[in-house]
Amino acid sequence: LYQLLPKDRSRPPVVWHWIPIFGSAASYGQDPIKFYRDCAEKYGNVFTFILLGRRVTVTLGIEGNNFVLGGKHTDLCAEDAYTPLTTPVFGKDVVYDCPNELLMEQKKFVKFGLRTENFRAYVGMIEEEVTGFMKNQDHFRVFQMNDINEWGSFDVLDVMSEITILTASRTLQGREVRDHITADYAEVFADLDGGFTPMHWLFPSLPLPSYRKRDIAHKKISDFYINIIRKRRESNVGLEEPDMISSLMDQKYRSGRALKDHEIAHIMIALLMAGQHTSSATGSWLLVHIADNPDVGEALYQEQVKHFRLPNGTWRTMEFEEIKDLPILDSVIRETLRMHPPIHSIMRKVRNDIPVPPTLGAPSENGTYIVPTGDFVWSSPAVSQLDPRVWKNANVWDPTRWSDPEGVAAAAGRAYENSEGPKVDFGFGLVSKGTESPYQPFGAGRHRCIGEQFAYLQLSTVVTTLIRQVELKLAGPLPDPNYQTLITLPKKPRNILYRRRKFD
Ligand code: HEM
């Protein structure tokens, strides 16, 4: 009944719900994108919904993205929004468990470890890991039998999750971590990962086994990194392969203080967690769509043949710089991230009452909505990336929209004229960096992802190494997205069929 009482007109409209506190949790949880669209139809691009006692104000569209991502961090705060989830998993004194100025310094340290010089070495390492995986893991049993006529099958998320952790460990995380990926380690990682769910964001500490396991796993993994750091400091031997731990060990805050061992350990855990599900989800959707579009698979393969196949039939490793000049690969990755951004909603918490620009939504011609202190504000790149007012055939996976007529269209044998491409100029580079863009799979502004270049390198190398060896086709219909997980993953069944390529 309280919803029928006269309201403060300066507050955004509240989504109608039957149960007070519980609010719209059920319809949001089932399919947040549908929920946002339905609400936008009823209330406009700014509305508030109740989620288990929290007030969440959603701002949609390009302006909504800009409102959240371009907001001042003193008004819209990321750490207040994320810390209940991230601090127990990443650990103390890093990322959102420290003042924002320190996070900005930590991001610079990490960027130093993600420099081009390191990336050059990573391509070969990733290729080696994927090739080894295909030779040795049961998922590729039919491939190992050398039979070019028989199709095998794998669960795409299982395969991409394993490959992502192996390749990230071998490159970013370093030799010691890679060599430690055993069944025991996988179990501890799974326990930590079990603490990275929407439920743990809503209820950061409960007397349940998954919470206890999360805390024990955090301690074990943190100690594991601290030991590596100590051993490296003691032995003082230079590394053959560059990695993130070594670059963090050399960094100093502006105050002149070096990073403490536990800070390095916790940054390493944060990078592991930030990259694992985002990249394995994207890699899975990539393979799903390539398998569903064999003409694009063939075009990708021919692009590899053209640039990297040697006259004797073997393959040359891609140079990091060359990856950016492969238009088919590039457009396939962009298009997958357009349709399946792994993070569908980006969150901040309001520290000071904040007015909403009237063009985004207003109670009356002269009025302004004010989002009150304590509300969460969320934007959703997933909504703007699928908006039919921005994208032609928004719900169709069509990489040709990103490329020039000589690119994917010609190679894939498709008519580029069928797809006008985006109606927004994204310029060059991987993606637009603006907070006003409708395309934000990596976020924008102050908290923009620092892993984009690494993810792009990792996904490119993983996919091309697979495509060089096998043809793919989808075993069933396109999988549905699972929104119950923090990252949008493909639901089961999600099997992909593969067959060893016949070399001419
Ligand atoms: C932040 C997406 C891979 C590290 C973000 C944000 C998005 C995102 C949307 C912004 C969150 C916000 O504004 O609240 C992705 C996607 C990836 C990916 C789609 C892969 C396809 C990675 C990788 C790493 C990484 C591989 C590490 C090597 C981070 C970190 C932040 C971040 C540390 C926090 C930045 C901050 O709050 O200032 N990512 N990410 N990400 N990402 Fe990524």
Side-chain angles (χ1 to χ4, degrees):
L1 274 181
Y2 77 102
Q3 292 178 81
L4 296 174
L5 296 173
K7 298 175 192 68
D8 179 350
R9 299 253 306 140
S10 71
R11 297 275 175 95
V14 177
V15 175
W16 177 268
H17 49 276
W18 290 104
I19 311 173
I21 297 180
F22 186 73
S24 309
S27 31
Y28 164 77
Q30 214 165 17
D31 185 341
I33 308 305
K34 181 175 178 314
F35 172 73
Y36 292 158
R37 283 186 183 139
D38 291 348
C39 292
E41 229 166 75
K42 268 192 220 150
Y43 307 101
N45 271 348
V46 189
F47 52 86
T48 301
F49 73 97
I50 305 300
L51 178 66
L52 300 174
R54 290 153 186 83
R55 282 174 47 92
V56 177
T57 294
V58 180
T59 64
L60 295 178
I62 297 174
E63 271 198 90
N65 292 350
N66 187 41
F67 178 73
V68 173
L69 298 179
K72 280 201 246 154
H73 78 282
T74 40
D75 292 333
L76 301 182
C77 175
E79 51 270 36
D80 290 0
Y82 292 129
T83 205
L85 175 76
T86 51
T87 299
V89 175
F90 302 169
K92 286 279 182 207
D93 301 328
V94 301
V95 189
Y96 304 118
D97 192 67
C98 60
N100 185 266
E101 290 66 33
L102 282 196
L103 167 60
M104 293 303 125
E105 288 201 56
Q106 289 165 3
K107 283 176 87 169
K108 276 203 198 115
F109 302 154
V110 171
K111 273 192 192 148
F112 181 74
L114 294 171
R115 61 194 183 279
T116 308
E117 186 189 322
N118 291 9
F119 284 167
R120 289 202 186 105
Y122 290 170
V123 183
M125 293 181 201
I126 295 175
E127 226 180 73
E128 225 175 272
E129 286 293 335
V130 178
T131 310
F133 187 87
M134 293 175 78
K135 276 196 189 139
N136 299 313
Q137 296 297 322
D138 265 2
H139 303 287
F140 283 94
R141 206 176 36 76
V142 174
F143 173 80
Q144 292 148 17
M145 285 164 16
N146 252 336
D147 185 341
I148 53 163
N149 295 312
E150 201 177 328
W151 290 88
S153 151
F154 58 78
D155 177 299
V156 69
L157 184 62
D158 288 354
V159 162
M160 283 313 296
S161 302
E162 288 178 40
I163 288 183
T164 305
I165 196 157
L166 288 172
T167 51
S169 311
R170 175 71 192 282
T171 51
L172 282 192
Q173 298 277 325
R175 259 282 172 211
E176 297 97 323
V177 182
R178 168 65 188 88
D179 293 344
H180 206 78
I181 298 205
T182 55
D184 286 351
Y185 183 86
E187 209 173 295
V188 179
F189 177 75
D191 287 348
L192 187 66
D193 197 36
F196 212 55
T197 71
M199 158 102 163
H200 291 80
W201 178 75
L202 287 162
F203 307 106
S205 94
L206 286 178
L208 292 175
S210 79
Y211 288 75
R212 214 162 39 83
K213 283 185 180 172
R214 171 196 69 186
D215 297 342
I216 294 171
H218 167 76
K219 172 94 177 66
K220 274 191 187 161
I221 296 185
S222 175
D223 287 349
F224 167 63
Y225 281 114
I226 289 173
N227 263 332
I228 293 175
I229 298 161
R230 289 203 180 136
K231 277 195 192 137
R232 284 195 189 184
R233 286 200 204 284
E234 280 159 21
S235 74
N236 224 355
V237 180
L239 284 176
E240 269 173 50
E241 293 175 345
D243 64 27
M244 186 61 74
I245 297 182
S246 61
S247 27
L248 291 175
M249 284 170 67
D250 292 339
Q251 303 290 327
K252 283 200 170 101
Y253 284 112
R254 240 174 283 151
S255 64
R257 167 170 91 68
L259 277 104
K260 295 181 182 157
D261 290 358
H262 81 275
E263 289 170 326
I264 300 177
H266 295 171
I267 291 176
M268 294 306 294
I269 298 177
L271 297 180
L272 182 70
M273 299 305 289
Q276 176 60 23
H277 294 296
T278 46
S279 293
S280 56
T282 309
S284 301
W285 288 113
L286 253 173
L287 290 189
V288 160
H289 283 291
I290 294 169
D292 192 40
N293 291 272
D295 55 343
V296 177
E298 183 57 23
L300 264 178
Y301 176 65
Q302 290 305 334
E303 188 175 61
Q304 288 294 303
V305 170
K306 182 171 156 200
H307 295 284
F308 308 109
R309 181 94 167 266
L310 298 172
N312 66 5
T314 57
W315 296 95
R316 157 171 95 71
T317 298
M318 299 187 289
E319 298 288 335
F320 170 63
E321 280 79 5
E322 289 174 311
I323 295 179
K324 295 176 190 156
D325 289 329
L326 300 171
I328 300 175
L329 179 63
D330 180 62
S331 53
V332 163
I333 295 176
R334 283 177 197 238
E335 181 64 349
T336 302
L337 281 165
R338 182 186 72 82
M339 286 198 71
H340 307 282
I343 300 177
H344 63 71
S345 302
I346 293 184
M347 310 179 187
R348 304 285 181 261
K349 199 163 181 194
V350 181
R351 275 197 173 167
N352 301 303
D353 290 7
I354 181 160
V356 174
T359 41
L360 176 55
S364 63
E365 223 171 88
N366 300 317
T368 307
Y369 286 137
I370 307 283
V371 189
T373 305
D375 264 27
F376 288 90
V377 285
W378 294 6
S379 71
S380 175
V383 170
S384 57
Q385 291 180 191
L386 289 169
D387 187 341
R389 288 163 300 184
V390 177
W391 311 88
K392 188 170 178 192
N393 297 328
N395 288 318
V396 178
W397 185 83
D398 178 7
T400 65
R401 73 175 79 241
W402 293 101
S403 53
D404 63 28
E406 275 80 53
V408 171
R414 288 184 175 194
Y416 185 74
E417 291 72 34
N418 290 342
S419 162
E420 277 173 10
K423 292 175 192 146
V424 177
D425 179 12
F426 292 94
F428 295 102
L430 295 183
V431 292
S432 155
K433 293 196 192 298
T435 53
E436 284 183 75
S437 172
Y439 185 76
Q440 293 176 333
F442 293 97
R446 196 177 184 84
H447 287 283
R448 190 174 207 287
C449 181
I450 34 170
E452 173 184 347
Q453 296 261 359
F454 176 76
Y456 191 85
L457 157 79
Q458 186 184 30
L459 289 165
S460 301
T461 314
V462 168
V463 167
T464 53
T465 308
L466 283 165
I467 284 290
R468 286 176 181 186
Q469 317 290 329
V470 289
E471 287 169 66
L472 303 175
K473 75 180 178 192
L474 205 55
L478 271 177
D480 288 326
N482 180 358
Y483 293 115
Q484 260 88 56
T485 41
L486 214 56
I487 298 293
T488 313
L489 304 167
K491 268 190 197 164
K492 284 187 175 180
R494 50 184 180 219
N495 272 25
I496 286 188
L497 302 175
Y498 67 88
R499 181 168 69 175
R500 193 184 250 277
R501 278 191 193 276
K502 183 172 81 183
F503 292 111
D504 358 287

